[in-house]
């Protein structure tokens, strides 16, 4: 079935001049509200800076940075608790002592990297968890290096 | 001037790879990503490709195969794909600012002025591939050549042949070898040729990429027109297509979707149409255009052959071009009311904004209502700002309804890992 074409303008009368007449703001005059300084410019102008942005502080490399929500208590010794958000930078090369997001048995795990060849281990910061040890044929997959953490108090979610 | 050198960087099985970045269990598992409304496979993992599943296969047709091989199906998660795509583009921009984003998963990059910094095309290709993999987790292939068409071709070789290890610089190969690769690949693989033209070329004994390269460009022009002539020249290394860095404003904006459940009532159709108008209108305002007409279409499910079929469309001209969601919705509703017939099960509705023009290139209208116009643009700016801040559809015209039973199905969509606080990946 060919499309029906209806090219009749609709509601032309909606735009009668009457509308304008009844609208007092149409006659509003705008007053300039800025002050135009006639004297010397403020000496502080050259020292003006933008406010602080937490993104700048936490995120070094935007395209490589991801956030994760922490679950569980395996890192409480490093002051990382459940529901904290960790900032993970994939561009960093993981070093001994870094806190990393690793993939173990298809799950993400947050641990401190212990790397003193030939020993490669993931350590929890909680005595209730034992280290995860990687032996030959059992390769450690690091997803990214934790470079920051954020927590909100008294806030839901 | 140096010979141009184009790199085409293309993410392998993009949607599937995005899903795998955030779900390590999916590595090596046969999987597909389905189109909107969970209809057809729009991305396949290599395991699924190996089973012979073609692009666009409807999900219901692979049920048996899925059961036998344990194929996982994901609904498309465009929010996630869009975010990862923009990360890839940012990484590439640091390699060379001369870049054209060709699609969500491929970009052309001009590299002739910077390749030497990395030790040549192949080395630079590997550097891009390695960095994108490390920073985003996405695997890419890089094809390099003196023209866009050859870069595309090189990318195809890199993708299909393990010897290249994901990076192929066509002109780093000895000429004899390059021609040999061209001879081994069907002409239908060439960018812009496709299967229909390949058939016609076949009738002229042009079967391989090499055959087309060796054909006379003049001859190709006589038989197929200027586009084929250009392709032929590009295959010979004569660059005819430049990077298109400026995105042309769209001439029309579409928003259409199949419904999750069939819809019969005018009221529900009306809600769907109003929602599509709202989405299209956001895009309209983003590119600072106004629409002069709205096209509305509705149809029943054409695949249900035992069902009575109806489809209709209408173009409603606006008295004055606008980008106001409310005015566009009003026009669309009038059009819908004119074409709606009761007693059918509707499957799909669509809205197209037409006769687009620049917001500033406006013609004065005799009864132009400037006050109304200014109010409307302020209202739209506030509405867009709130929806950006709090998520799409936080504020919308009440015509869109609040139930949206007709809304598209996306039963198995993964979380929006990178854009929602409450959907971040979890780490234990």
């Amino acid at each position: 079935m060919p499309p029906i074409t209806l090219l009749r303008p609709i509601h032309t009368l909606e735009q009668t001049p009457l509308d304008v007449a009844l609208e007092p703001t149409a006659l509003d005059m705008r007053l300039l509200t800025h002050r135009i300084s006639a004297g010397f410019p403020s000496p502080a102008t050259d020292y003006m800076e933008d406010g602080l942005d937490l993104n700048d502080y936490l995120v070094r490399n935007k395209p490589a940075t991801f956030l994760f929500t922490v679950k569980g208590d395996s890192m409480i010794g490093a002051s990382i608790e459940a529901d904290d958000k960790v900032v993970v930078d994939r561009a960093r090369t993981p070093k001994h002592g870094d806190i990393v997001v690793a993939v173990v048995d298809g799950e993400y795990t947050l641990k401190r990297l212990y790397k003193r060849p030939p020993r490669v281990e993931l350590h929890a910061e909680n005595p209730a968890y034992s280290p995860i040890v990687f032996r030959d044929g059992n390769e450690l997959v690091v997803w990214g290096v934790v470079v920051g953490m954020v927590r909100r108090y008294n806030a839901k979610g | 001037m140096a010979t141009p050198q184009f790199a085409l960087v293309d993410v392998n099985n993009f949607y599937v790879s995005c899903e795998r970045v955030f779900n390590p269990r999916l590595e090596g598992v046969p999987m597909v990503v389905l189109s909107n409304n969970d209809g057809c496979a729009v991305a396949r993992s290599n395991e699924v490709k190996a089973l012979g599943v073609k692009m666009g296969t409807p999900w219901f047709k692979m049920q048996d195969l899925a059961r036998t091989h344990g194929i996982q199906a994901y609904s498309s998660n465009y929010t996630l794909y869009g975010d990862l795509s923009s990360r890839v583009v940012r990484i590439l921009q640091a390699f060379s600012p001369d870049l054209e984003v060709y699609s969500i998963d491929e970009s052309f990059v001009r590299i002739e002025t910077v390749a030497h910094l990395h030790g040549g095309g192949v080395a630079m290709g590997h550097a891009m591939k390695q960095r994108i993999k490390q920073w985003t987790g996405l695997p890419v292939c890089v094809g390099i050549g003196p023209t866009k068409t050859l870069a595309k071709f090189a990318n195809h070789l890199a993708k299909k042949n393990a010897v290249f290890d994901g990076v192929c610089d066509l002109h780093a190969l000895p000429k004899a070898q390059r021609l040999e690769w061209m001879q081994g690949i069907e002409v239908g693989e060439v960018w812009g040729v496709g299967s229909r033209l390949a058939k016609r070329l076949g009738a002229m004994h042009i079967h391989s990429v090499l055959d087309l390269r060796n054909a006379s460009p003049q001859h190709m022009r006589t038989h197929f027109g200027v586009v084929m002539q250009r392709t032929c020249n590009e295959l010979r290394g004569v660059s005819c297509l430049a990077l298109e860095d400026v995105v042309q404003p769209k001439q029309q904006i579409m928003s259409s979707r199949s419904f999750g459940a069939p819809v019969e009532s005018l009221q529900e159709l009306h809600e769907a149409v109003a929602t599509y108008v709202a989405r299209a209108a956001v895009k309209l305002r983003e590119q600072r255009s106004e629409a002069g007409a709205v096209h509305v279409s509705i149809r029943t499910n054409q695949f249900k052959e035992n069902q009575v079929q109806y489809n209709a469309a209408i173009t409603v001209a606006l008295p004055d071009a606008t980008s106001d969601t409310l005015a566009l919705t009003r026009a669309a509703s009038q059009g819908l009311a004119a074409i709606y017939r009761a007693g059918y099960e509707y499957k799909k509705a669509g809205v197209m904004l037409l006769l687009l023009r620049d917001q500033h290139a406006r013609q004065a209208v005799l009864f132009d209502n400037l006050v109304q116009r200014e109010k409307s643009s302020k209202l739209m700016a506030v509405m867009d700002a709130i929806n950006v801040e709090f998520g799409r559809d936080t504020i919308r015209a009440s015509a869109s309804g609040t139930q949206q039973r007709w809304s598209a199905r996306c039963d198995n969509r993964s979380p929006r890992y990178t854009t929602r606080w409450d959907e971040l990946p979890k780490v234990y």
Side-chain angles (χ1 to χ4, degrees):
Chain A
M1 175 172 163
I4 315 165
T5 311
L6 180 120
L7 275 164
R8 185 156 39 87
I10 314 161
H11 275 215
T12 316
L13 283 180
E14 191 185 81
Q15 297 179 328
T16 54
L18 194 64
D19 263 347
V20 184
L22 290 175
E23 183 67 70
T25 50
L27 301 169
D28 257 6
M29 278 183 51
R30 297 287 161 88
L31 293 174
L32 280 177
T33 53
H34 329 275
R35 256 198 5 221
I36 297 167
S37 164
F40 290 104
S42 158
T45 333
D46 286 348
Y47 301 91
M48 290 288 199
E49 288 187 8
D50 292 334
L52 296 173
D53 184 345
L54 280 175
N55 287 309
D56 293 340
Y57 185 67
L58 291 165
V59 178
R60 278 294 137 86
N61 187 353
K62 201 169 174 211
T65 303
F66 298 85
L67 295 174
F68 280 69
T69 296
V70 177
K71 293 286 163 196
D73 58 359
S74 70
M75 292 301 281
I76 46 171
S79 306
I80 301 177
E81 298 172 10
D83 291 331
D84 288 349
K85 313 295 180 202
V86 284
V87 184
V88 178
D89 188 343
R90 287 183 57 99
R92 294 284 187 93
T93 310
K95 298 187 310 290
H96 171 76
D98 282 344
I99 298 174
V100 298
V101 171
V103 181
V104 176
D105 298 329
E107 298 274 2
Y108 295 119
T109 185
L110 185 70
K111 298 287 176 287
R112 198 178 288 281
L113 178 63
Y114 183 96
K115 199 172 172 186
R116 283 284 177 255
R119 284 174 65 194
V120 177
E121 300 175 5
L122 290 174
H123 291 184
E125 296 265 341
N126 180 341
Y129 297 80
S130 40
I132 305 167
V133 181
F134 295 84
R135 297 206 173 80
D136 11 80
N138 193 355
E139 205 196 342
L140 165 67
V141 180
V142 173
W143 198 91
V145 175
V146 174
V147 294
M149 189 275 281
V150 272
R151 178 182 307 162
R152 222 160 51 172
Y153 294 103
N154 306 322
K156 294 190 183 81
Chain B
M1 211 177 81
T3 323
Q5 209 175 6
F6 294 89
L8 177 67
V9 183
D10 176 323
V11 183
N12 307 343
N13 311 330
F14 181 56
Y15 300 164
V16 165
S17 299
C18 290
E19 297 293 344
R20 284 179 172 168
V21 167
F22 290 98
N23 191 345
R25 285 180 190 279
L26 292 174
E27 209 54 58
V29 171
M31 63 177 288
V32 291
V33 173
L34 302 177
S35 59
N36 272 328
N37 217 24
D38 293 352
C40 310
V42 287
R44 303 154 295 155
S45 69
N46 288 341
E47 299 79 13
V48 169
K49 287 179 182 172
L51 292 172
V53 174
K54 295 273 171 273
M55 190 70 167
T57 308
W59 174 235
F60 73 85
K61 282 197 178 163
M62 24 175 167
Q63 292 295 323
D64 287 343
L65 210 58
R67 231 167 282 132
T68 325
H69 298 275
I71 300 176
Q72 302 283 310
Y74 277 76
S75 308
S76 26
N77 183 351
Y78 288 110
T79 317
L80 175 67
Y81 310 154
D83 179 69
L84 288 175
S85 170
S86 68
R87 288 168 188 260
V88 171
V89 171
R90 282 182 69 136
I91 293 170
L92 289 174
Q93 273 165 343
F95 277 96
S96 165
D98 240 349
L99 171 143
E100 173 192 347
V101 178
Y102 181 67
S103 73
I104 193 166
D105 59 354
E106 13 175 14
S107 294
F108 284 104
V109 189
R110 283 286 287 264
I111 62 167
E112 70 269 16
T113 52
V114 285
H116 68 277
L117 301 174
H118 300 267
V122 176
M124 180 170 177
H126 279 290
M128 294 193 281
K129 173 173 177 259
Q130 197 278 333
R131 187 178 296 174
I132 293 170
K133 176 72 188 177
Q134 189 187 339
W135 289 18
T136 66
L138 296 170
V140 301
C141 281
V142 183
I144 299 169
T147 70
K148 283 168 104 176
T149 306
L150 285 172
K152 265 271 195 193
F153 176 66
N155 187 281
H156 175 84
L157 294 181
K159 195 158 285 176
K160 303 282 176 186
N161 301 280
V163 316
F164 292 109
D165 189 23
V167 178
C168 169
D169 180 354
L170 220 47
H171 282 239
L173 300 172
K175 187 171 181 189
Q177 216 179 66
R178 188 161 74 226
L179 299 185
E180 206 175 301
W181 280 110
M182 287 186 158
Q183 190 164 26
I185 310 266
E186 283 176 33
V187 71
E189 292 295 343
V190 173
W191 191 31
V193 172
S195 61
R196 247 189 59 236
L197 283 171
K199 215 175 241 172
R200 283 178 59 200
L201 287 164
M204 298 169 68
H205 305 290
I206 297 174
H207 301 288
S208 70
V209 178
L210 186 64
D211 293 341
L212 182 57
R213 178 201 178 270
N214 291 341
S216 138
Q218 205 46 53
H219 190 61
M220 287 298 105
R221 183 186 184 130
T222 329
H223 284 265
F224 298 95
V226 64
V227 176
M228 189 64 88
Q229 179 191 25
R230 212 157 51 194
T231 302
C232 189
N233 273 322
E234 284 238 318
L235 284 178
R236 291 157 169 258
V238 181
S239 179
C240 311
L241 299 167
L243 285 191
E244 287 172 26
D245 40 7
V246 182
V247 180
Q248 289 295 319
K250 289 196 186 113
Q251 294 305 298
Q252 54 196 41
I253 295 175
M254 269 281 289
S255 174
S256 75
R257 209 63 62 83
S258 294
F259 303 138
V263 164
E264 283 189 52
S265 76
L266 179 59
Q267 175 60 28
E268 276 186 295
L269 268 183
H270 181 77
E271 289 176 11
V273 164
T275 303
Y276 301 157
V277 168
R279 290 189 188 154
V282 170
K283 292 185 195 155
L284 184 72
R285 293 192 288 271
E286 272 170 6
Q287 67 169 43
R288 301 187 180 287
S289 302
E290 294 175 329
V294 184
H295 178 90
V296 183
S297 59
I298 49 175
R299 64 158 60 252
T300 49
N301 189 346
Q302 54 188 341
F303 297 109
K304 288 201 173 161
E305 282 158 11
N306 52 353
Q307 218 175 51
V308 267
Q309 299 288 322
Y310 176 68
N311 64 74
I314 190 168
T315 302
V316 184
L318 294 152
D320 187 12
T322 181
S323 59
D324 181 318
T325 302
L326 304 179
L328 294 166
T329 307
R330 214 150 44 217
S333 305
Q334 297 214 346
L336 176 66
I339 55 174
Y340 173 79
R341 300 284 176 274
Y344 295 98
E345 288 192 359
Y346 292 97
K347 176 66 180 166
K348 187 174 185 173
V351 166
M352 196 162 27
L353 304 182
L354 304 166
L355 305 178
L356 304 196
R357 64 162 193 226
D358 203 10
Q359 242 166 23
H360 305 292
R362 96 176 352 274
Q363 243 176 355
V365 174
L366 186 53
F367 295 120
D368 200 355
N369 186 333
L370 286 172
V371 173
Q372 188 60 42
R373 181 169 291 289
E374 189 173 325
K375 260 188 174 170
S376 143
S377 78
K378 276 187 190 154
L379 174 63
M380 289 305 119
V382 169
M383 193 159 134
D384 288 348
I386 291 180
N387 285 337
V388 165
E389 185 78 20
F390 297 102
R392 192 168 83 180
D393 295 344
T394 304
I395 290 201
R396 55 183 180 228
S398 62
S400 314
T402 49
Q403 291 291 319
Q404 306 203 332
R405 190 182 62 88
W406 43 268
S407 188
R409 265 198 331 244
C410 42
D411 293 337
N412 195 27
R413 200 202 61 216
S414 52
R416 287 160 291 188
Y417 295 109
T418 55
T419 51
R420 294 284 178 130
W421 287 108
D422 51 353
E423 297 184 23
L424 296 180
K426 295 182 176 57
V427 61
Y428 290 84

